[in-house]
Amino acid sequence: MSTKIAVAKGDGIGPEIMAAVLRIFEAANVPLEYEYVEMGKSYFDAGHSTGMTPAAKETIERLGLLFKGPMETPKGKGVKSINVTARKVWNTYANQRDFRSLNGVDTVFSKAGIPINLTIVRENIEDTYGGIEHLLTNDVAVGRRIITRPGSAQVIRYAFEMARRKGYTKLACGHKANIMKLTDGMFLETFYEIAKDYPDIESSDIIVDDLCMKLVSRPEMFQAIVLTNLQGDIVSDLCAGLVGGLGFAPSANIGDNISIFEAVHGTAPDIQGKGIANPTALLLSGILMLRYLGYTNAAANIENSLLYTLEQGVHTGDFGDKSTPSANTETFADAVIANLGQAPVKGAVIAQPDMEVKANHDHPTKNKLTVVKKDTKEEIVGVDVFVESNKQPNELAEIAQKKLNENTQLVMISNRGTQVWPTGSIYTELVNEYRIRVEKKDGGEISQKEILHIAGELSEDFKICSVEFLMKFDGKIGYTLAQGQ
């Protein structure tokens, strides 16, 4: 029985490499049927602000799986990335990218005899990729970094399950919780909570800058790493560099209902139509897709053929022995097809039933709302009011204190996150946006209405840029102190 999937050819070299990969699938007798969907740059240009037609959206949601080539988002037109939009709209919360040394693809590490075989799992829909940014003043831009407990739990549990399926014994959490104590702190806390359910896997954490240093000096230390979105994006591209570049980096975006498999390299418009593009990354992504669909024998057959082909020295112009002729896109695919049934001398792949597990493709009737803990005790303790001002800190403090009642007190004023009142340094350089922190006095209570009233009072003297409540959850503060506070 065949499986029907949605296919988007992509922009630039996308149609060429997609045709090559699908031809390999056909030669390997993979039981797939394709519904082609319209997405990408040409559809932005045609006025579809999301980069896809309504028919494409309906098809993908009906089939539950999208196989896509690289896509371009037009620059300077105020539209969102089609790649990020697709991942977020369909809640593909886990991005999995496998990196391994490939015979025939020379790198610093392969020449040193250091094999690389590791997987990066990246949270895929939250973090700064929410794309929520504001200019608070002409000189100050702010972006919101959204990390949620349910979102963290989804991707971290996926990472543990993936590690167990692959037979890994170690999973590390990359983070920056030493600085971003609430956002990365929540991600790290969730990691260790979930780790209790996987005693067979050694769990550890590492600060992301230290992780990057170790990845380029001792990559063999790691088997799998789970990270937040932006950090995972950077680290996964770093890992691509360890194995030869993005041309050898497969990518799977996994959700509970819809999943996307894609090449993450660019559209390479400079070589579009020349027939010389390297289809390896898209083919490797397709192999991940076949395992996900349960076609593990076909996946192993194709991957072994690809590895054997690379081992034999067949290469496109972007890699390999420059003293030997380069294959073009078609002849590279021809070589992989001719080698079906062959296996490499080193690193042969064995078909593994249930290596990946297909998501349940449900058709929900309403948006899912997830709350991890519903009985949390919440308490309002104050407010941070962000204001635009060119005044000195002591002048702001004098004005702010006149606006408060007997139940509230001015606690701190900061500029760019550094405390400048009641104590600070004359050497701290300022911009024209301040944070004024007001808290209730001990034993008192404060309401939302009072919080907003404080902001209203301050608005008589300042432009209010933003207002953030200061909260406690089960007695634990839900806000950070300023530098120097």
Side-chain angles (χ1 to χ4, degrees):
M1 182 178 177
S2 62
T3 300
K4 186 174 286 187
I5 66 171
V7 174
K9 296 179 181 179
D11 300 317
I13 60 172
E16 301 163 51
I17 60 174
M18 181 63 75
V21 169
L22 297 187
R23 193 157 61 83
I24 293 169
F25 285 177
E26 182 181 1
N29 297 314
V30 180
L32 292 176
E33 295 181 43
Y34 311 117
E35 283 196 32
Y36 293 94
V37 295
E38 298 175 337
M39 299 174 65
K41 182 178 183 297
S42 61
Y43 303 100
F44 279 117
D45 294 342
H48 298 284
S49 62
T50 60
M52 72 180 83
T53 63
K57 181 175 181 290
E58 185 279 328
T59 297
I60 295 163
E61 292 182 352
R62 172 168 47 84
L63 298 178
L65 193 143
L66 172 64
F67 187 37
K68 64 183 283 292
M71 290 184 183
E72 179 182 348
T73 300
K75 296 177 177 63
K77 295 189 177 182
V79 295
K80 296 283 189 179
S81 163
I82 180 62
N83 303 305
V84 174
T85 297
R87 297 167 197 159
K88 289 171 61 64
V89 166
W90 292 315
N91 208 62
T92 61
Y93 53 80
N95 175 251
Q96 177 182 329
R97 294 173 67 180
D98 297 335
F99 303 95
R100 61 180 296 187
S101 301
L102 299 169
N103 294 328
V105 182
D106 289 336
T107 68
V108 171
F109 296 98
S110 67
K111 291 177 181 178
I114 300 172
I116 294 171
N117 185 7
L118 63 89
T119 298
I120 301 296
V121 177
R122 161 193 171 196
E123 195 287 317
N124 214 25
I125 56 177
E126 299 185 342
D127 202 352
T128 53
Y129 286 74
I132 304 172
E133 298 180 297
H134 297 89
L135 275 173
L136 299 189
T137 77
N138 189 57
D139 296 340
V140 179
V142 171
R144 284 181 176 261
R145 183 171 192 258
I146 301 171
I147 303 292
T148 71
R149 207 175 299 275
S152 299
Q154 276 185 317
V155 69
I156 290 167
R157 190 167 295 280
Y158 175 86
F160 274 104
E161 289 292 328
M162 178 277 304
R164 182 175 280 175
R165 284 196 304 272
K166 285 180 174 287
Y168 290 162
T169 58
K170 299 188 295 184
L171 176 65
C173 177
H175 65 90
K176 195 67 177 174
N178 57 322
I179 301 299
M180 292 175 282
K181 299 182 183 299
L182 295 184
T183 49
D184 271 35
M186 177 182 288
F187 192 82
L188 182 59
E189 178 185 327
T190 305
F191 173 79
Y192 279 117
E193 287 173 357
I194 292 175
K196 296 173 185 176
D197 297 334
Y198 298 86
D200 52 317
I201 298 173
E202 178 187 333
S203 305
S204 63
D205 69 272
I206 182 169
I207 295 173
V208 69
D209 40 339
D210 186 28
L211 170 63
C212 290
M213 182 188 70
K214 285 186 168 63
L215 280 170
V216 298
S217 58
R218 298 174 62 196
E220 71 277 8
M221 291 176 57
F222 302 97
Q223 294 179 349
I225 308 163
V226 62
L227 304 104
T228 55
N229 201 336
L230 179 58
Q231 293 168 18
D233 193 6
I234 295 166
V235 169
S236 58
D237 274 22
L238 182 154
C239 290
L242 303 180
V243 298
L246 290 174
F248 305 96
S251 180
N253 304 284
I254 306 298
D256 287 338
N257 299 301
I258 297 170
S259 293
I260 304 168
F261 295 81
E262 61 182 340
V264 293
H265 56 66
T267 58
D270 55 321
I271 61 170
Q272 178 181 354
K274 296 181 180 180
I276 60 174
N278 181 0
T280 302
L282 187 61
L283 180 57
L284 288 169
S285 300
I287 290 167
L288 279 177
M289 179 182 70
L290 297 183
R291 290 200 177 92
Y292 172 86
L293 292 170
Y295 300 133
T296 51
N297 287 316
N301 184 23
I302 294 170
E303 188 167 1
N304 278 327
S305 175
L306 171 63
L307 296 176
Y308 179 83
T309 301
L310 294 171
E311 193 175 73
Q312 295 302 303
V314 179
H315 64 93
T316 49
D318 57 320
F319 75 100
D321 185 352
K322 300 302 181 183
S323 67
T324 62
S326 298
N328 60 32
T329 309
E330 289 297 305
T331 56
F332 187 88
D334 289 340
V336 174
I337 291 170
N339 291 328
L340 288 168
Q342 300 285 346
V345 174
K346 299 179 181 178
V349 176
I350 300 172
Q352 300 179 44
D354 302 323
M355 186 169 179
E356 301 291 350
V357 180
K358 184 179 179 183
N360 295 319
H361 181 214
D362 297 326
H363 296 278
T365 57
K366 61 181 180 180
N367 294 94
K368 180 181 177 182
L369 176 63
T370 302
V371 179
V372 172
K373 188 177 180 182
K374 299 180 181 179
D375 58 348
T376 306
K377 180 183 177 182
E378 299 184 5
E379 178 188 6
I380 302 174
V381 297
V383 63
D384 280 342
V385 183
F386 296 82
V387 303
E388 180 176 350
S389 176
N390 292 321
K391 295 182 180 296
Q392 287 292 303
N394 61 327
E395 296 177 278
L396 263 74
E398 184 177 347
I399 295 170
Q401 285 173 323
K402 293 178 181 178
K403 305 293 184 180
L404 306 182
N405 58 34
E406 66 282 356
N407 187 39
T408 56
Q409 57 186 338
L410 180 63
V411 173
M412 177 272 295
I413 297 175
S414 71
N415 194 286
R416 289 191 286 185
T418 301
Q419 178 173 283
V420 293
W421 186 93
T423 60
S425 170
I426 199 68
Y427 293 99
T428 302
E429 294 190 6
L430 309 175
V431 295
N432 65 346
E433 190 251 6
Y434 287 88
R435 170 176 50 165
I436 299 174
R437 174 165 289 179
V438 175
E439 294 182 11
K440 68 178 184 179
K441 293 180 180 178
D442 290 342
E445 293 185 359
I446 191 167
S447 66
Q448 292 188 66
K449 187 174 182 179
E450 288 178 276
I451 291 289
L452 296 174
H453 179 73
I454 291 169
E457 288 290 303
L458 289 170
S459 72
E460 294 179 355
D461 293 271
F462 307 106
K463 186 190 88 176
I464 305 298
C465 301
S466 181
V467 176
E468 295 288 348
F469 287 20
L470 304 180
M471 304 290 298
K472 283 186 176 181
F473 298 90
D474 289 336
K476 183 179 178 181
I477 65 171
Y479 52 94
T480 56
L481 302 181
Q483 298 291 337
Q485 188 178 0

